[in-house]
Amino acid sequence: MPSACDPVIEDIEDMVSSTDPTPHERQSARKNIVPRPKKKKELLNDEELQADSVIPGMQKIWMKTWGCSHNNSDGEYMAGQLAASGYKMTEADLWLLNSCTVKNPAEDHFRNSIKKAQEQEKKVVVAGCVPQAQPRMDYLKGLSIIGVQQIDRVVEVVDEAVKGHSVRLLGQKKEGGRRLGGARLDLPKIRKNPLIEIISINTGCLNACTYCKTKHARGDLASYPIEELVKRVRQSFQEGVCEIWLTSEDTGAYGRDIGTDLPTLLWRLVEQIPDGAMLRLGMTNPPYILEHLGEMAKILNHPRVYAFLHVPVQSASDSVLMDMKREYCIDDFKRVVDFLKERVPGVTIATDIICGFPGETEEDFQETLELVKLYRFPSLFINQFYPRPGTPAAKMEQVPAQVKKQRTRELSQLFHSYNPYDHKVGEMQHVLVTEESFDAQYYVAHNKFYEQVLVPKKVEFKGKMIEVEIYEAGKHFMKGRPVEDSKPFNPSIAAPLQQGEVSGLIQVITHTHTHTHTRQFVTDSTHKAHVKVHNTKCFAR
């Protein structure tokens, strides 16, 4: 960790063009980055920087990500750029910690990891929503920070951190005065799962929920252009991916800032999906999906789109929803669910509920219990309310801790009182196999409704669409045995990348009379790197 007298680069935004440079241009530009001391001293000159005994790019980096799929996608991009620049991603000299600000426990884990790294005398770089929203927190003093819209600058920040400098890049990306969705989608990346591509279609949202800290970090809505997203999807399938996850803080709001909408995007993306491959849509809030229910039903019925939608309700009490500033009433939510259940037979609706929001009465909570009894959600994310610093909800009169805990337990007991898949035993289903189970005993597949099906762990099933008979059902999964005489179908149009392989890179080696130089450029080919990326899932709204 840098000491108080180490040089600090507070911001180097003005040293790079507003148009995103290529990796080669970024490499060339690094020589122009000059650290600025905290105290009033003379700036270090180029000769002093070049004389530094530490050579960036030779060190090992350990990376951990907390949070939603959007944050995991950011982590994949950062790992890819670092590996492409020569860093080895493994037990390491420097820790890169990518944080989540949704709930207190996630931030506690992040803070404890920083402390552990410092105790082991590791250099630390932090990223994600926590430092973006609160960069002046005491435990972040002296640390280098990568803002959520600056992940394309991760190599520059790590290079300086390795040399003992503290760099903070927290600016917003803009073009022609308009805020952009974030870093380019064609950056090198390392997929945690080579079969699954996570694509952020927009960042930020249009809401101002009183409990939400993520808004402080991600800001207002900024959508990626449709053509950029189509190109990214096409490239992913060319690299052997068989499943696409679309993510953002609110997918339903996509395009409102650029004159388009979510259904228009989805119809364009569906054209790119090979037979047998699947697309999963991320979280959408009720207000923005209401306008598109008819088109959304048609899209969710498409054979290459999972009939699955995550629509957080948070509470069934209109009074609580008003205090949350959720911008819908419970009848709006019911309209979404009822319409989709009627038009998309078997559709899976996942939702979130917060227990013990400030001002929630026992009557309010009972309304929420009745909603769960009515719909028996197969996927329900139950969250005890945690006041996040700086949010309006933190200043409201709090529900006693023991009451919050009791309501959380009661709702959890209700959720576990029913089994949503018992009636599916004996069904024949086509499932796409993409992952390994946590206990490593099965492969994990999903059916058309994105319901989890465990299948035998046979290597020939991985990345394939197979037909199974459901013979057992649990609370969160089913088990399926392959149907005799049915053959696995391969939806991939190319061989998947290997674990730890960086997409879109080629090495170009040039020689001078004294040195051999290796430079890497983004292309349509691939480059292999040894990577170990740790992810901890924590659901984000």
Side-chain angles (χ1 to χ4, degrees), residues 449-480:
F449 310 105
Y450 203 69
E451 296 162 337
Q452 184 171 275
V453 180
L454 303 181
V455 300
K457 192 177 176 182
K458 294 184 178 180
V459 66
E460 62 267 27
F461 292 163
K462 192 71 174 290
K464 308 294 195 303
M465 181 76 76
I466 64 174
E467 186 178 9
V468 300
E469 178 184 1
I470 302 301
Y471 67 90
E472 182 181 331
K475 175 63 181 175
H476 302 287
F477 64 88
M478 292 170 274
K479 289 183 180 179

Side-chain angles (χ1 to χ4, degrees), residues 201-274:
I201 62 174
N202 55 268
T203 189
C205 69
L206 294 173
N207 297 335
C209 300
T210 56
Y211 56 80
C212 183
K213 191 71 175 177
T214 305
K215 176 77 172 189
H216 296 195
R218 298 283 182 178
D220 293 327
L221 178 70
S223 304
Y224 284 98
I226 287 179
E227 292 305 324
E228 290 183 22
L229 294 164
V230 169
K231 184 177 179 181
R232 183 66 203 178
V233 166
R234 188 183 300 125
Q235 179 189 342
S236 300
F237 286 124
Q238 290 170 349
E239 293 174 347
V241 162
C242 63
E243 189 169 287
I244 299 286
W245 294 1
L246 301 184
T247 183
S248 77
E249 283 67 56
D250 186 353
T251 59
Y254 171 81
R256 284 174 168 256
D257 57 320
I258 58 173
T260 186
D261 56 40
L262 181 62
T264 301
L265 168 67
L266 294 177
W267 285 124
R268 287 291 308 279
L269 296 185
V270 163
E271 297 172 358
Q272 306 297 323
I273 305 174

